[in-house]
Amino acid sequence: MLLEPERYEHYEDLFYHFEATRREFIKVVGGGIVVLCLCGDALAQGRGGRGSGGAASQDLGAWLHIGEDGVATVYTGKVELGQNIRTSLAQAVAEELRVPPKSVQLVMGDTDLVPFDMGTFGSLTTPTMSPQLRRAAASAREMLLDLAAEQWKVERISLVVAEGKVTHAATNRSLTFGQLTRGQKLMRTIGGDIPLTPVDQWKIAGKSLRKVSGTEVVTGQHRHASDIKRPGMMYGKVLRPPSFGATLSSANLSAAEAMGAIALRDGDFVGVAATSDHLASQAFQAIDAKWQSSQQSSSSGELFDHLKKSATQAQVPGRAPGTSLGDADSRVRLEQGITSADLKLEQTYTVAYIAHAPLEPRAAVAEWNGDKLTVWTGTQRPFGVRGELAQAFRISEERVRVIAPDTGGGYGGKQTGEAAIEAARLAKASGKPVKVVWTREEEFSWAYFRPAGVIEVRSGVMKDGTLTAWEFHNYNSGASGIRTPYNIPNQKIQFHQTQSPLRQGSYRALAATANHFARETHLDELAQAVKIDPVQFRLKNLTDERQRAVLEAAAERFQWGKRKKGKDEGFGIACGNEKNSVVATCARIKIERPSGRVRVLHVVTAFECGAIINPDHLRNQIEGCTVMGLGGALFEAVEFENGKISNPRFSKYRVPRFSDTPHIETVLLDRKDLPSAGAGETPMVVVAPAIGNALFDATGVRLRSMPLAPKGMVA
């Protein structure tokens, strides 16, 4: 699997390089050379892969175990980050195994117990893990039928599997799954020809089952990484540079040690561990550190010029860097298509860095037991973090166990293991378990951001609305969603890497949000220029029936073309596709006077992601994407200057509030004839252009930069 270029964090070097101890040095040099293969296929797995390319084990026992009590325990490397995948995966297993969902328990993200998994990202869990677990459950079902048939000496066709037992109706005999397996490991290979339940015959999947752990979550009993406690645990704090690029000259730890804390310097790493969080904070403040700062030339105000000027290689998704979409003849035709158009348009769109701002900052608890390291941490890539820990401490991956408790939000931002490494280093120094929880300011300053970007679009259109040419260049933000769904005969589409002044990486929907913002805003500008209704303009240039279906469904529910606007109100629409799902969103906005505040009053989203597994939870995903998309659309932006983040806290970094939430309507198109696709990202990609187009409709002012109105629409 080739990772998208905007997953910059997968190509970073480790955060820390610890000095080798004398024992480690002798192990490598004095006692013969020990080579640790830690990386495997770097593109497919990032740091710490097994080298297996992430191929799924076909050993049934690796995925599923049925206890004597009949409970089916399912093992998966996927993790729960609030997307409620635990429920939909349990539904998939229960459907094939013919058991009540309450009889299915999931073990998730424990590297000692579950099969290897690249990570929970890219909306891949539903299209990849759900079918895998369905096959495992179906294999177990067939095995149970074999066991019962052999025990009773009857034909398999005479047996029925239902409600966690196998029944022979002719003799009125039945055996529970636990009685058949006796709790033993299921010894069978998962075959590719295992019959799966047709979607139109689903009885458990396809229904709105309640969240499996919902009661624990709302009553506060649910435990996240930051809630983990271990016997004798200490609390850690890590010293951060005063600015990006600053290097440590010296660190006097004596005052911290005098307080009773464990204080440590290892290369550029400086940290303390103490018996209480308060004492750790006091000791941390007592460290006398001196830094050598580096000159920082870029700031928020100069960002987009910097990105454009520092552009390096251009590339087209799926092709080698430096290539272009089409040959020399197609580039000639592009120019001819633009020249022959009745109207030509050329515009630039920009997208700011934004922070992930998860409710739970990075957190980890680390514990050494001899040479064995166990870490509990909130991460989207438990096996990736295991590899990072093995590399940081020069040990084999078999000596590292990573357990990922449910995590309080990730949004693409928790794919690296900085907190895990920090906790492990302090635990190694103290000889006790250590917890490290990043502060909100650390999360805002030292985590990676969604990439900023500059997007240039040049196009041609005929008076009747037919698109004739399309040239699209994305600088830095990424290539996801970069290809247009519209029928345009002459195209040139490229992504250009640049030198980013800030650390950047994966964010929910990756660059699809930026690319859809530029494309759907530009489409709206073209529709206005040729005086064609924005919905009809899009339909004229769309032949994909899935894309047309959601566009028409959203417009119909919104009553596009029929409803009347109030004073200072505007309507906007946008559509697109990403990760095998399609979406269209209509927005109604109002400008409040005299403040100029932008209020999003009503949002209608039509969404189709193949066969729906859990309708209510799919709606939750779409509504969550809508609310999250409001922030990036209207006011979220990371500000920086002189090597420092200027707004590293919620009092300065504006995120959506309850008062910002509009009336949200969701239209679900259930395509039982198509495989289920992921839904945690795509619904967000057209929120910003729909709002931006509505702002133009209300004011006649075209905004081409995200965030659109961080201080409102003022004169």
Side-chain angles (χ1 to χ4, degrees), residues 4-9 303-304 307 350-356 411-412 448-455 474-480 495-515 636 638 640 706:
E4 297 90 341
E6 60 265 42
R7 295 193 185 277
Y8 292 103
E9 76 282 3
L303 172 62
F304 302 122
L307 292 178
T350 60
V351 180
Y353 291 110
I354 65 175
H356 296 83
Y411 315 116
Y448 52 86
F449 303 107
R450 185 191 73 181
V454 176
I455 300 173
N474 178 304
Y475 294 87
N476 188 68
S477 59
S480 293
F495 161 62
H496 305 258
Q497 290 186 328
T498 73
Q499 298 298 317
S500 171
L502 295 184
R503 189 183 180 209
Q504 56 183 7
S506 299
Y507 185 93
R508 193 176 194 175
L510 299 178
T513 297
N515 289 322
E636 284 191 56
V638 172
F640 63 100
M706 289 176 61

Side-chain angles (χ1 to χ4, degrees), residues 37 41 46 175 192 210 213 268 276 287 289 374 407 502 543 561 665:
C37 181
D41 182 347
L175 287 170
R210 291 178 58 186
S213 56
D268 290 333
S276 71
I287 296 174
T374 302
T407 301
L502 295 184
T543 55
E665 287 189 77

Side-chain angles (χ1 to χ4, degrees), residues 489-545:
N490 306 296
Q491 299 183 29
K492 180 180 180 181
I493 298 173
Q494 286 186 326
F495 161 62
H496 305 258
Q497 290 186 328
T498 73
Q499 298 298 317
S500 171
L502 295 184
R503 189 183 180 209
Q504 56 183 7
S506 299
Y507 185 93
R508 193 176 194 175
L510 299 178
T513 297
N515 289 322
H516 278 79
F517 169 66
R519 182 169 57 247
E520 288 298 296
T521 303
H522 197 85
L523 261 291
D524 209 68
E525 295 191 61
L526 290 171
Q528 298 295 334
V530 295
K531 296 180 172 55
I532 298 178
D533 175 81
V535 172
Q536 296 307 315
F537 182 80
R538 286 170 170 79
L539 288 172
K540 181 178 180 63
N541 291 283
L542 279 172
T543 55
D544 181 84
E545 53 98 7

